[in-house]
Structures are given as structure tokens and as C-alpha cells.
Amino acid sequence: SLVWLTLPRPGTLAAAPPLNCRATPCRAMDPCADFAKMASFWDIPGMKPGVVTGEVAWNLLKFAKAKGFAIPAFNCVTSSSCNSVLEAAAKLGMPAYIQFSEGGSAFFCGKGLANDKKQASVLGACAGAHYVRNVAPAYGIPVLVHSDHCAKKLLPWFDGMLEADAEHFKLYGEPLFSSHMLDLSEEPHDENVGICANYLKKMAPLNLILEMEIGITGGVEDG
């Protein structure tokens, strides 16, 4: 099972870097140590241009942590904004995240569609993920497709994306998205962790990465 935590950091609004929740401070048990010896992320087994998922995506995060750099994530609301991220990443020769918020997902497929049950947000996020899957290989860099902050009231959106992941997994052996984020930090801690744990059990067989937010980092989130 793959999960990272977004933790509040005193005195700043920045989120903590991805962490393996099973990791310890001991260097001998550092899950990222082997990646520090790699010259390039292209040396990661299974790495390819286009959308990466599962262990390949997780190992890319561990490589970034070992090398001390962040993989930037950009919320996209149109195919043009996706293209801009891909073009910039290609010019830098570096991987990037393309992510979709609930509101941005609805915009992606058109604000004229009904969204009372988050159906437009599901459609837009999945359309965006399919678009990136089709276009990203041409840019020659690895990309992670992610869904951004999902509060408790937005769980129908999350559920719809997981259904799409499951269908994609049946056809191609990997999920549609690389990862998803649950942001239940407004809820009591035990409820937050409990709901996230239940979703992680559903996501693990699909080789999906789950980001969960613990505590309040500040700022204003979509939705």
C-alpha cells in the first residue's frame, strides 16, 4: 500500500514532502537510500515517457526525496494548461504532476453541465486524465496524474474517479490516475484517519497512491 502524508509545519503554509509512513529516521532503514546512487530518474526500473503509476510513480517520489528536489504539481483546468505544463517540463527535462481539483474538473468538461452529484467533476477529471495519457508521451517526460484536495463533502467525486481507475485497471493493468488526495483535515482526527484507511484498502489493489492531509496547513482550498 502506498500513502504519503501532508503534515502541518509550524510557521509556514508549505506542505511537508512526501513521506513513507513506515520509514524511520535511521539511515540504514531509509527507503530512499538506494535511489541516491542513481544518476537519473530514467534509471528507475520501468520508467517511461508519459503517465507513470504504481511502484514506478512511488519510486520516482523516493528518487526525488533522495536527491533533495520537489516534483512540481500544477492544477489544470483546460487542455491548454495541461500542454503548458508538459511543454515546460519537457524543456527542463524533468517530471511533473498534472492535477485536477473538483472545481477545475467541472470546468474542464464545461460549466454548462449539471454537477449536483459531482458527475461533471468526475467526467472532467477523467477526461483530463485521458487527455494527459494520450498527449504526455509525445513530450518525452514522465508525468503523474493526480486529483487535488477532496473534502468529505466531495467524496462522490472521489468515488467516481476510483470507479474509472478500476475500469482502466481491468483493461490495461494500471489505474487511470497515478494518485489521489483526500483532505479530511476539517474532520476529527480519528474519522480522518479511519476514512483514509478504508479508501487505501480499496486503492491498494489498483496500485494507486493516496495522499492524505493530517492537520491544517492553512490557505484556501478549492471546494
Side-chain angles (χ1 to χ4, degrees):
S1 299
L2 307 175
V3 61
W4 82 78
L5 309 178
T6 302
L7 303 167
R9 189 183 292 174
T12 178
L13 299 183
L19 299 172
N20 186 325
C21 61
R22 296 183 296 273
T24 73
C26 178
R27 176 65 181 174
M29 299 183 67
D30 184 355
C32 304
D34 291 341
F35 296 90
K37 304 173 184 177
M38 292 184 177
S40 167
F41 58 82
W42 291 115
D43 296 330
I44 297 172
M47 188 55 63
K48 64 176 182 178
V51 174
V52 293
T53 64
E55 287 294 334
V56 178
W58 188 242
N59 287 339
L60 179 56
L61 295 178
K62 290 195 284 187
F63 176 88
K65 185 181 179 185
K67 294 294 187 178
F69 71 92
I71 300 176
F74 301 90
N75 280 76
C76 295
V77 297
T78 64
S79 59
S80 295
S81 53
C82 292
N83 294 344
S84 298
V85 174
L86 293 170
E87 182 178 348
K91 287 181 178 178
L92 294 172
M94 294 295 289
Y97 269 96
I98 289 180
Q99 61 187 31
F100 301 97
S101 67
E102 186 271 329
S105 296
F107 187 89
F108 198 96
C109 65
K111 296 291 283 185
L113 295 179
N115 200 30
D116 55 306
K117 298 179 180 179
K118 303 304 176 188
Q119 63 269 40
S121 295
V122 173
L123 177 61
C126 293
H130 279 291
Y131 178 81
V132 175
R133 277 190 166 276
N134 279 275
V135 173
Y139 285 86
I141 43 91
V143 180
L144 298 99
V145 179
H146 182 62
S147 65
D148 205 8
H149 297 263
C150 178
K152 187 176 181 180
K153 64 185 178 182
L154 304 179
L155 285 177
W157 171 54
F158 199 93
D159 293 334
M161 291 186 292
L162 288 189
E163 289 180 11
D165 283 314
E167 288 301 316
H168 198 273
F169 192 90
K170 289 178 183 178
L171 294 172
Y172 304 106
E174 65 178 19
L176 177 59
F177 293 81
S178 306
S179 54
H180 296 291
M181 179 185 186
L182 283 172
D183 181 357
L184 306 178
S185 56
E186 294 180 340
E187 312 306 324
H189 177 79
D190 289 346
E191 181 179 0
N192 181 355
V193 174
I195 293 175
C196 289
N198 287 335
Y199 272 102
L200 183 59
K201 292 176 183 177
K202 299 177 183 178
M203 296 169 67
L206 302 177
N207 294 330
L208 277 164
I209 298 171
L210 172 64
E211 177 187 7
M212 56 186 292
E213 183 155 325
I214 302 294
I216 304 297
T217 59
V220 178
E221 311 297 355
D222 180 29

Short mmCIF file of all heavy atoms in Angstrom, two decimals, residues 118-167:
data_model
loop_
_atom_site.label_atom_id
_atom_site.label_comp_id
_atom_site.label_asym_id
_atom_site.label_seq_id
_atom_site.Cartn_x
_atom_site.Cartn_y
_atom_site.Cartn_z
N LYS A 118 -21.87 15.68 -8.52
CA LYS A 118 -20.44 15.73 -8.88
C LYS A 118 -20.15 14.94 -10.16
O LYS A 118 -19.00 14.60 -10.43
CB LYS A 118 -19.56 15.21 -7.73
CG LYS A 118 -19.76 15.99 -6.43
CD LYS A 118 -19.53 17.48 -6.62
CE LYS A 118 -19.83 18.28 -5.37
NZ LYS A 118 -19.79 19.74 -5.62
N GLN A 119 -21.19 14.70 -10.97
CA GLN A 119 -20.99 13.94 -12.20
C GLN A 119 -20.12 14.69 -13.21
O GLN A 119 -19.32 14.07 -13.92
CB GLN A 119 -22.35 13.56 -12.82
CG GLN A 119 -23.23 14.72 -13.27
CD GLN A 119 -24.19 15.20 -12.18
OE1 GLN A 119 -23.83 15.27 -11.02
NE2 GLN A 119 -25.43 15.51 -12.57
N ALA A 120 -20.27 16.01 -13.28
CA ALA A 120 -19.43 16.78 -14.20
C ALA A 120 -17.98 16.81 -13.72
O ALA A 120 -17.05 16.78 -14.54
CB ALA A 120 -19.98 18.20 -14.34
N SER A 121 -17.79 16.86 -12.42
CA SER A 121 -16.43 16.85 -11.88
C SER A 121 -15.75 15.51 -12.14
O SER A 121 -14.56 15.46 -12.46
CB SER A 121 -16.46 17.14 -10.37
OG SER A 121 -16.91 18.45 -10.13
N VAL A 122 -16.50 14.43 -12.02
CA VAL A 122 -15.97 13.10 -12.34
C VAL A 122 -15.60 13.04 -13.82
O VAL A 122 -14.50 12.61 -14.19
CB VAL A 122 -16.97 12.00 -11.99
CG1 VAL A 122 -16.46 10.63 -12.48
CG2 VAL A 122 -17.22 11.95 -10.50
N LEU A 123 -16.53 13.49 -14.66
CA LEU A 123 -16.30 13.45 -16.11
C LEU A 123 -15.10 14.29 -16.50
O LEU A 123 -14.24 13.85 -17.29
CB LEU A 123 -17.55 13.95 -16.83
CG LEU A 123 -17.47 14.05 -18.36
CD1 LEU A 123 -17.22 12.67 -18.97
CD2 LEU A 123 -18.77 14.65 -18.90
N GLY A 124 -15.00 15.51 -15.95
CA GLY A 124 -13.90 16.39 -16.31
C GLY A 124 -12.55 15.87 -15.86
O GLY A 124 -11.56 15.94 -16.61
N ALA A 125 -12.49 15.34 -14.64
CA ALA A 125 -11.22 14.80 -14.15
C ALA A 125 -10.76 13.62 -14.99
O ALA A 125 -9.58 13.51 -15.35
CB ALA A 125 -11.37 14.39 -12.68
N CYS A 126 -11.71 12.74 -15.33
CA CYS A 126 -11.35 11.56 -16.12
C CYS A 126 -10.98 11.95 -17.55
O CYS A 126 -10.06 11.38 -18.14
CB CYS A 126 -12.50 10.56 -16.11
SG CYS A 126 -12.81 9.83 -14.48
N ALA A 127 -11.71 12.94 -18.10
CA ALA A 127 -11.37 13.42 -19.45
C ALA A 127 -9.97 14.02 -19.44
O ALA A 127 -9.17 13.79 -20.37
CB ALA A 127 -12.40 14.45 -19.91
N GLY A 128 -9.65 14.78 -18.40
CA GLY A 128 -8.32 15.36 -18.29
C GLY A 128 -7.24 14.30 -18.17
O GLY A 128 -6.19 14.39 -18.81
N ALA A 129 -7.51 13.27 -17.37
CA ALA A 129 -6.54 12.19 -17.20
C ALA A 129 -6.31 11.45 -18.51
O ALA A 129 -5.17 11.13 -18.88
CB ALA A 129 -7.01 11.22 -16.12
N HIS A 130 -7.39 11.17 -19.24
CA HIS A 130 -7.25 10.51 -20.54
C HIS A 130 -6.49 11.40 -21.53
O HIS A 130 -5.66 10.90 -22.32
CB HIS A 130 -8.62 10.15 -21.11
CG HIS A 130 -9.22 8.90 -20.54
ND1 HIS A 130 -8.69 7.65 -20.80
CD2 HIS A 130 -10.29 8.70 -19.73
CE1 HIS A 130 -9.42 6.73 -20.18
NE2 HIS A 130 -10.39 7.34 -19.52
N TYR A 131 -6.77 12.69 -21.49
CA TYR A 131 -6.06 13.62 -22.38
C TYR A 131 -4.55 13.56 -22.12
O TYR A 131 -3.75 13.43 -23.05
CB TYR A 131 -6.58 15.04 -22.20
CG TYR A 131 -5.84 16.02 -23.07
CD1 TYR A 131 -6.18 16.18 -24.43
CD2 TYR A 131 -4.78 16.78 -22.58
CE1 TYR A 131 -5.47 17.05 -25.24
CE2 TYR A 131 -4.07 17.65 -23.38
CZ TYR A 131 -4.42 17.79 -24.72
OH TYR A 131 -3.71 18.65 -25.53
N VAL A 132 -4.19 13.66 -20.83
CA VAL A 132 -2.77 13.65 -20.48
C VAL A 132 -2.14 12.31 -20.88
O VAL A 132 -1.01 12.27 -21.39
CB VAL A 132 -2.59 13.92 -18.98
CG1 VAL A 132 -1.12 13.77 -18.57
CG2 VAL A 132 -3.09 15.31 -18.62
N ARG A 133 -2.85 11.22 -20.68
CA ARG A 133 -2.32 9.91 -21.06
C ARG A 133 -2.03 9.84 -22.56
O ARG A 133 -1.05 9.21 -22.97
CB ARG A 133 -3.31 8.81 -20.67
CG ARG A 133 -3.21 8.39 -19.22
CD ARG A 133 -4.01 7.14 -18.93
NE ARG A 133 -3.65 6.56 -17.65
CZ ARG A 133 -2.64 5.74 -17.45
NH1 ARG A 133 -1.87 5.39 -18.48
NH2 ARG A 133 -2.37 5.27 -16.25
N ASN A 134 -2.87 10.47 -23.36
CA ASN A 134 -2.69 10.41 -24.80
C ASN A 134 -1.60 11.34 -25.31
O ASN A 134 -0.89 11.02 -26.27
CB ASN A 134 -4.00 10.73 -25.51
CG ASN A 134 -4.94 9.54 -25.58
OD1 ASN A 134 -4.85 8.71 -26.48
ND2 ASN A 134 -5.84 9.44 -24.61
N VAL A 135 -1.43 12.48 -24.63
CA VAL A 135 -0.53 13.51 -25.14
C VAL A 135 0.86 13.46 -24.51
O VAL A 135 1.87 13.71 -25.17
CB VAL A 135 -1.16 14.91 -24.93
CG1 VAL A 135 -0.17 16.02 -25.30
CG2 VAL A 135 -2.43 15.04 -25.76
N ALA A 136 0.94 13.13 -23.23
CA ALA A 136 2.20 13.23 -22.49
C ALA A 136 3.36 12.45 -23.10
O ALA A 136 4.50 12.95 -23.10
CB ALA A 136 1.98 12.80 -21.04
N PRO A 137 3.17 11.24 -23.65
CA PRO A 137 4.32 10.52 -24.21
C PRO A 137 5.06 11.30 -25.30
O PRO A 137 6.28 11.15 -25.44
CB PRO A 137 3.69 9.24 -24.76
CG PRO A 137 2.48 9.03 -23.92
CD PRO A 137 1.95 10.40 -23.66
N ALA A 138 4.34 12.13 -26.03
CA ALA A 138 4.97 12.89 -27.10
C ALA A 138 5.95 13.93 -26.57
O ALA A 138 6.84 14.37 -27.30
CB ALA A 138 3.90 13.58 -27.95
N TYR A 139 5.79 14.31 -25.31
CA TYR A 139 6.69 15.31 -24.73
C TYR A 139 7.95 14.68 -24.13
O TYR A 139 8.87 15.40 -23.74
CB TYR A 139 5.94 16.11 -23.66
CG TYR A 139 4.98 17.11 -24.24
CD1 TYR A 139 3.68 16.75 -24.58
CD2 TYR A 139 5.37 18.44 -24.49
CE1 TYR A 139 2.79 17.67 -25.13
CE2 TYR A 139 4.49 19.36 -25.03
CZ TYR A 139 3.20 18.97 -25.35
OH TYR A 139 2.32 19.88 -25.90
N GLY A 140 7.98 13.36 -24.04
CA GLY A 140 9.20 12.67 -23.66
C GLY A 140 9.60 12.73 -22.21
O GLY A 140 10.76 12.46 -21.87
N ILE A 141 8.65 13.05 -21.31
CA ILE A 141 8.97 13.10 -19.89
C ILE A 141 7.90 12.34 -19.09
O ILE A 141 6.76 12.22 -19.54
CB ILE A 141 9.10 14.55 -19.37
CG1 ILE A 141 7.98 15.44 -19.92
CG2 ILE A 141 10.46 15.14 -19.71
CD1 ILE A 141 6.77 15.53 -19.09
N PRO A 142 8.27 11.80 -17.92
CA PRO A 142 7.27 11.13 -17.09
C PRO A 142 6.36 12.13 -16.39
O PRO A 142 6.79 13.23 -16.01
CB PRO A 142 8.11 10.35 -16.06
CG PRO A 142 9.41 11.07 -16.02
CD PRO A 142 9.64 11.67 -17.36
N VAL A 143 5.10 11.77 -16.25
CA VAL A 143 4.10 12.63 -15.64
C VAL A 143 3.28 11.82 -14.65
O VAL A 143 2.98 10.65 -14.90
CB VAL A 143 3.16 13.23 -16.72
CG1 VAL A 143 2.11 14.13 -16.09
CG2 VAL A 143 3.95 14.00 -17.76
N LEU A 144 2.92 12.43 -13.55
CA LEU A 144 1.98 11.84 -12.60
C LEU A 144 0.67 12.60 -12.69
O LEU A 144 0.67 13.83 -12.70
CB LEU A 144 2.52 11.90 -11.17
CG LEU A 144 3.82 11.13 -10.93
CD1 LEU A 144 5.01 12.08 -10.96
CD2 LEU A 144 3.79 10.39 -9.60
N VAL A 145 -0.43 11.89 -12.80
CA VAL A 145 -1.76 12.50 -12.86
C VAL A 145 -2.42 12.31 -11.50
O VAL A 145 -2.57 11.18 -11.02
CB VAL A 145 -2.62 11.89 -13.97
CG1 VAL A 145 -4.01 12.54 -13.98
CG2 VAL A 145 -1.95 12.10 -15.32
N HIS A 146 -2.84 13.41 -10.91
CA HIS A 146 -3.26 13.43 -9.52
C HIS A 146 -4.57 14.20 -9.39
O HIS A 146 -4.84 15.13 -10.17
CB HIS A 146 -2.16 14.13 -8.71
CG HIS A 146 -2.39 14.22 -7.24
ND1 HIS A 146 -2.50 13.12 -6.43
CD2 HIS A 146 -2.50 15.30 -6.42
CE1 HIS A 146 -2.65 13.51 -5.17
NE2 HIS A 146 -2.68 14.83 -5.14
N SER A 147 -5.40 13.82 -8.41
CA SER A 147 -6.55 14.65 -8.06
C SER A 147 -6.25 15.36 -6.75
O SER A 147 -5.75 14.76 -5.81
CB SER A 147 -7.83 13.81 -7.95
OG SER A 147 -7.74 12.88 -6.88
N ASP A 148 -6.58 16.67 -6.72
CA ASP A 148 -6.20 17.51 -5.59
C ASP A 148 -7.25 17.42 -4.48
O ASP A 148 -8.22 16.69 -4.58
CB ASP A 148 -6.01 18.95 -6.08
CG ASP A 148 -5.08 19.76 -5.21
OD1 ASP A 148 -4.45 19.18 -4.31
OD2 ASP A 148 -4.97 20.98 -5.43
N HIS A 149 -7.06 18.22 -3.44
CA HIS A 149 -7.86 18.20 -2.21
C HIS A 149 -9.31 17.75 -2.39
O HIS A 149 -10.08 18.38 -3.11
CB HIS A 149 -7.88 19.59 -1.58
CG HIS A 149 -6.55 20.07 -1.15
ND1 HIS A 149 -6.09 19.97 0.14
CD2 HIS A 149 -5.54 20.66 -1.85
CE1 HIS A 149 -4.88 20.48 0.23
NE2 HIS A 149 -4.51 20.90 -0.96
N CYS A 150 -9.66 16.66 -1.73
CA CYS A 150 -11.04 16.18 -1.72
C CYS A 150 -11.55 16.17 -0.29
O CYS A 150 -11.13 15.34 0.52
CB CYS A 150 -11.15 14.79 -2.33
SG CYS A 150 -12.85 14.13 -2.29
N ALA A 151 -12.43 17.12 0.03
CA ALA A 151 -13.04 17.19 1.35
C ALA A 151 -14.15 16.15 1.46
O ALA A 151 -14.56 15.53 0.46
CB ALA A 151 -13.60 18.59 1.59
N LYS A 152 -14.67 15.97 2.65
CA LYS A 152 -15.69 14.95 2.88
C LYS A 152 -16.92 15.17 2.01
O LYS A 152 -17.50 14.22 1.47
CB LYS A 152 -16.08 14.93 4.36
CG LYS A 152 -17.01 13.80 4.75
CD LYS A 152 -17.28 13.79 6.25
CE LYS A 152 -18.19 12.64 6.64
NZ LYS A 152 -18.45 12.62 8.11
N LYS A 153 -17.31 16.43 1.82
CA LYS A 153 -18.50 16.73 1.02
C LYS A 153 -18.30 16.43 -0.46
O LYS A 153 -19.26 16.39 -1.23
CB LYS A 153 -18.89 18.19 1.20
CG LYS A 153 -17.85 19.19 0.70
CD LYS A 153 -18.24 20.61 1.01
CE LYS A 153 -17.18 21.60 0.56
NZ LYS A 153 -17.52 23.01 0.91
N LEU A 154 -17.04 16.21 -0.86
CA LEU A 154 -16.73 15.95 -2.27
C LEU A 154 -16.45 14.47 -2.55
O LEU A 154 -16.01 14.12 -3.64
CB LEU A 154 -15.51 16.78 -2.70
CG LEU A 154 -15.62 18.29 -2.51
CD1 LEU A 154 -14.34 18.98 -2.96
CD2 LEU A 154 -16.82 18.85 -3.28
N LEU A 155 -16.71 13.61 -1.58
CA LEU A 155 -16.40 12.18 -1.75
C LEU A 155 -17.09 11.53 -2.95
O LEU A 155 -16.53 10.59 -3.53
CB LEU A 155 -16.71 11.41 -0.47
CG LEU A 155 -15.71 11.62 0.68
CD1 LEU A 155 -16.16 10.88 1.93
CD2 LEU A 155 -14.31 11.18 0.26
N PRO A 156 -18.29 11.97 -3.38
CA PRO A 156 -18.85 11.38 -4.62
C PRO A 156 -17.94 11.58 -5.83
O PRO A 156 -17.89 10.72 -6.71
CB PRO A 156 -20.17 12.13 -4.77
CG PRO A 156 -20.56 12.48 -3.37
CD PRO A 156 -19.27 12.81 -2.69
N TRP A 157 -17.23 12.69 -5.85
CA TRP A 157 -16.24 12.94 -6.91
C TRP A 157 -15.11 11.92 -6.81
O TRP A 157 -14.72 11.31 -7.81
CB TRP A 157 -15.71 14.37 -6.78
CG TRP A 157 -14.55 14.73 -7.64
CD1 TRP A 157 -14.46 14.60 -9.00
CD2 TRP A 157 -13.31 15.29 -7.21
NE1 TRP A 157 -13.24 15.06 -9.44
CE2 TRP A 157 -12.51 15.49 -8.36
CE3 TRP A 157 -12.80 15.67 -5.97
CZ2 TRP A 157 -11.24 16.04 -8.30
CZ3 TRP A 157 -11.52 16.22 -5.91
CH2 TRP A 157 -10.75 16.39 -7.07
N PHE A 158 -14.61 11.72 -5.62
CA PHE A 158 -13.53 10.76 -5.38
C PHE A 158 -13.97 9.35 -5.78
O PHE A 158 -13.24 8.63 -6.46
CB PHE A 158 -13.14 10.80 -3.90
CG PHE A 158 -11.80 10.23 -3.58
CD1 PHE A 158 -10.68 11.05 -3.53
CD2 PHE A 158 -11.65 8.88 -3.30
CE1 PHE A 158 -9.43 10.52 -3.22
CE2 PHE A 158 -10.41 8.35 -2.99
CZ PHE A 158 -9.30 9.17 -2.95
N ASP A 159 -15.18 8.98 -5.37
CA ASP A 159 -15.69 7.64 -5.68
C ASP A 159 -15.81 7.42 -7.19
O ASP A 159 -15.50 6.34 -7.70
CB ASP A 159 -17.06 7.44 -5.03
CG ASP A 159 -16.98 7.38 -3.51
OD1 ASP A 159 -15.91 7.02 -2.98
OD2 ASP A 159 -18.00 7.71 -2.86
N GLY A 160 -16.25 8.46 -7.90
CA GLY A 160 -16.38 8.35 -9.36
C GLY A 160 -15.04 8.14 -10.03
O GLY A 160 -14.92 7.36 -10.99
N MET A 161 -14.01 8.83 -9.56
CA MET A 161 -12.68 8.65 -10.12
C MET A 161 -12.14 7.26 -9.83
O MET A 161 -11.48 6.65 -10.70
CB MET A 161 -11.73 9.73 -9.59
CG MET A 161 -12.03 11.13 -10.10
SD MET A 161 -10.80 12.36 -9.60
CE MET A 161 -11.10 12.44 -7.82
N LEU A 162 -12.42 6.74 -8.64
CA LEU A 162 -11.97 5.38 -8.32
C LEU A 162 -12.64 4.34 -9.21
O LEU A 162 -12.02 3.34 -9.59
CB LEU A 162 -12.23 5.06 -6.85
CG LEU A 162 -11.35 5.74 -5.81
CD1 LEU A 162 -11.60 5.15 -4.43
CD2 LEU A 162 -9.88 5.63 -6.16
N GLU A 163 -13.90 4.57 -9.55
CA GLU A 163 -14.58 3.66 -10.47
C GLU A 163 -13.89 3.67 -11.83
O GLU A 163 -13.71 2.62 -12.46
CB GLU A 163 -16.05 4.08 -10.62
CG GLU A 163 -16.90 3.80 -9.40
CD GLU A 163 -18.35 4.23 -9.59
OE1 GLU A 163 -18.72 4.54 -10.75
OE2 GLU A 163 -19.10 4.26 -8.61
N ALA A 164 -13.50 4.86 -12.29
CA ALA A 164 -12.77 4.96 -13.55
C ALA A 164 -11.41 4.29 -13.46
O ALA A 164 -10.95 3.64 -14.42
CB ALA A 164 -12.62 6.43 -13.94
N ASP A 165 -10.76 4.43 -12.32
CA ASP A 165 -9.47 3.74 -12.10
C ASP A 165 -9.64 2.23 -12.20
O ASP A 165 -8.81 1.54 -12.82
CB ASP A 165 -8.90 4.10 -10.72
CG ASP A 165 -8.28 5.47 -10.66
OD1 ASP A 165 -7.51 5.82 -11.56
OD2 ASP A 165 -8.56 6.19 -9.68
N ALA A 166 -10.69 1.73 -11.58
CA ALA A 166 -10.93 0.28 -11.59
C ALA A 166 -11.19 -0.24 -13.00
O ALA A 166 -10.69 -1.30 -13.39
CB ALA A 166 -12.10 -0.06 -10.67
N GLU A 167 -11.97 0.51 -13.78
CA GLU A 167 -12.25 0.11 -15.15
C GLU A 167 -10.99 0.14 -16.00
O GLU A 167 -10.74 -0.77 -16.81
CB GLU A 167 -13.32 1.03 -15.76
CG GLU A 167 -14.71 0.82 -15.20
CD GLU A 167 -15.20 -0.60 -15.40
OE1 GLU A 167 -15.02 -1.15 -16.51
OE2 GLU A 167 -15.75 -1.20 -14.44
#
